[in-house]
Amino acid sequence: DVKVTQSSRYLVKRTGEKVFLECVQDMDHENMFWYRQDPGLGLRLIYFSYDVKMKEKGDIPEGYSVSREKKERFSLILESASTNQTSMYLCASLRQTNSNQPQHFGDGTRLSIL
Amino acid sequence: QKEVEQNSGPLSVPEGAIASLNCTYSDRVSQSFFWYRQYSGKSPELIMSIYSNGDKEDGRFTAQLNKASQYVSLLIRDSQPSDSATYLCAVRGYSGGGADGLTFGKGTHLIIQP
């Protein structure tokens, strides 16, 4: 089974802080994704990565950056956290580019910005 | 803007009946289609995937795809109370997330009444 692990289930931070959300997958998947999920808005793609040190913007990248220094790890960074970034954050991985295989999700990090 | 539309519900179905969940999508070049189930406070888990027109069955679940009508559905036979959840339709195509980014509907909340 694919295992996608997010470092924290719950996180509380203050406005203006730099926040790191970590995600690790153990199946040597090429692709990794960060989504956020908000009531009434559904799941929205923030950033994704096809390979180490490669990143692409998703639909809502503003206020976020990412880092992928190793294949198994994909980090989401909130450079200066704001209250509108309070959300559920979900990491996902996919075996290879342009495949019909599904994305596998981690358990999510519920982030509160005070 | 690529869109995936679902009726938000709630959809209430008696135990043992067939639950029918529907989804339409706007991007004609969409490649792959997925149904995820999400329990409250949990991350999405894959239920079904479908890539070709027609029906695909897996146990109590049947996915149906009609690319000409840009329509995908999920049927759940012999509905159980444990099927009560939010069902997310996801489409892989050439969204802002690139060829592998998923565009999600906002989900249909299904309630199975004992």
Side-chain angles (χ1 to χ4, degrees):
Chain A
D1 272 358
V2 177
K3 183 68 174 176
V4 180
T5 303
Q6 295 184 230
S7 55
S8 304
R9 289 300 309 275
Y10 301 94
L11 204 55
V12 180
K13 295 291 182 181
R14 295 203 174 274
T15 301
E17 281 192 69
K18 190 169 186 176
V19 181
F20 294 85
L21 302 183
E22 306 287 346
C23 177
V24 176
Q25 49 91 7
D26 66 354
M27 291 300 293
D28 200 37
H29 283 183
E30 291 181 359
N31 301 275
M32 297 186 74
F33 306 81
W34 275 106
Y35 295 87
R36 64 178 283 178
Q37 186 173 29
D38 301 287
L41 296 177
L43 272 150
R44 294 176 292 166
L45 181 64
I46 305 171
Y47 264 99
F48 64 102
S49 170
Y50 284 125
D51 203 348
V52 175
K53 297 191 184 296
M54 295 186 68
K55 59 184 179 183
E56 297 288 340
K57 293 179 180 179
D59 298 317
I60 52 163
E62 296 79 17
Y64 303 94
S65 62
V66 290
S67 173
R68 193 165 182 201
E69 296 296 319
K70 295 184 178 181
K71 192 173 186 179
E72 66 270 19
R73 184 180 297 271
F74 192 35
S75 302
L76 180 69
I77 304 159
L78 286 65
E79 297 291 343
S80 177
S82 62
T83 54
N84 63 11
Q85 293 178 309
T86 292
S87 186
M88 168 72 91
Y89 289 87
L90 289 158
C91 175
S93 73
L94 173 68
R95 177 171 298 280
Q96 64 186 94
T97 304
N98 289 327
S99 74
N100 281 330
Q101 296 181 355
Q103 293 184 13
H104 297 271
F105 286 86
D107 288 337
T109 296
R110 188 166 292 282
L111 175 64
S112 296
I113 305 298
L114 304 179
Chain B
Q1 181 74 17
K2 311 303 186 289
E3 292 183 346
V4 177
E5 299 287 342
Q6 293 181 257
N7 189 323
S8 62
L11 175 64
S12 186
V13 174
E15 184 176 355
I18 296 174
S20 178
L21 304 166
N22 304 313
C23 172
T24 59
Y25 59 95
S26 64
D27 185 5
R28 285 194 169 275
V29 300
S30 297
Q31 302 290 307
S32 315
F33 307 85
F34 305 93
W35 283 99
Y36 286 85
R37 178 177 64 199
Q38 187 174 28
Y39 293 114
S40 179
K42 302 293 187 181
S43 64
E45 57 176 321
L46 181 72
I47 298 297
M48 292 284 290
S49 57
I50 188 166
Y51 319 116
S52 304
N53 279 327
D55 295 359
K56 179 182 178 183
E57 186 175 319
D58 183 1
R60 295 187 297 113
F61 299 95
T62 299
Q64 299 174 317
L65 175 61
N66 184 327
K67 289 187 177 180
S69 300
Q70 294 176 237
Y71 176 91
V72 58
S73 65
L74 179 70
L75 301 178
I76 306 174
R77 289 182 299 281
D78 188 25
S79 298
Q80 302 297 310
S82 59
D83 295 327
S84 297
T86 296
Y87 288 79
L88 304 174
C89 175
V91 175
R92 182 180 79 85
Y94 297 93
S95 69
D100 289 296
L102 290 178
T103 301
F104 283 85
K106 294 178 182 177
T108 297
H109 182 44
L110 175 65
I111 299 171
I112 306 300
Q113 293 182 325

